[in-house]
Structure formats: C-alpha cells, structure tokens
Amino acid sequence: MPPDDPADGLPRPFILPHAALFGFKNIDREHQDLVDIVNGAIEDFHRLEHREAAHFANWISRLRERMVHHFAYEEREMRDAGFEGVAAHITHHTQLIVRLNQMLADIGHTAIVDLEAMFELFAQVMDDILRADLPFKDFLAANGLIPPD
C-alpha cells in the first residue's frame, strides 16, 4: 500500500518503480493504466464517507475489463518475442481474472466495502506486474530486446 501523505492523511498514488518498467512497446503504459485504476479505487475508498459495495464493484469491473485487454496484448507480445513461458503466464492471467470475478461475486453479498477488499485489489495488480511479468522482462533483456537494468 502506498504510504500516507502527511499533508492530508490520504495515501499517495502508487507509481511503478523503475525495476518494474520494461521499456518495451506499450507494456509500461498498460501496467500504469492498471495501477491508475487501483489508485482511483483506493482514493475513493479514503475520500468517500459511505463505501457502498456497488460503487467499488464498478472499479473492480473496470479493472477486470482493462486486465483482459492488457493480458491479450501482453500474451501476444510474449508469443511474438518467442517467450517460452507464455503458457504458464496465460494460466496466471486466467487465475487473476477468476479471482477478480470472485471478488465481484463476493462484493454482491455486502453493502459496504472494507479496507481488506482494497488491499486485495491492489495485491492482484501488483502480483502480476511485479512478480509474474518479471521473467518476461528478463527474457527480453537476455535476448537484447530491451537494455539490461
């Protein structure tokens, strides 16, 4: 979770660290788009007095739609680059979408969203960008498709 801003007590938006940047085609922009959606949801969580589940279901739906689009793009880039780990990565992507679908189903059974749900949303995106995608980045660097870190 991003640290609180001492000026207003709200969390600062998360920005991808340099180590998570690829420098390859549109992947960095797409990753930041996902993070921006999570930042918006977290900002709303802290800003709104009443945290109705339906409002946050919209954020999760938006994130899911954006992830589906991003995953298709990323998987295509992986195949085009000859990345051998693409099949395992597709499985990971499928599991993330299943988890987001479960979050949407769970949120339908509650009136108010809690901080734990926001942490879960944040964790889903960061797990994909910071853990699952790094082998592809390493592959790109090892094959001279991006400069090494």
Side-chain angles (χ1 to χ4, degrees), residues 29-45:
R29 179 69 249 158
E30 296 227 349
H31 284 164
Q32 190 60 52
D33 287 347
L34 297 173
V35 170
D36 289 347
I37 293 170
V38 172
N39 281 335
I42 291 170
E43 179 182 322
D44 269 7
F45 181 85

Side-chain angles (χ1 to χ4, degrees), residues 81-92:
F83 180 58
E84 292 181 4
V86 69
H89 205 77
I90 289 170
T91 299
H92 171 77

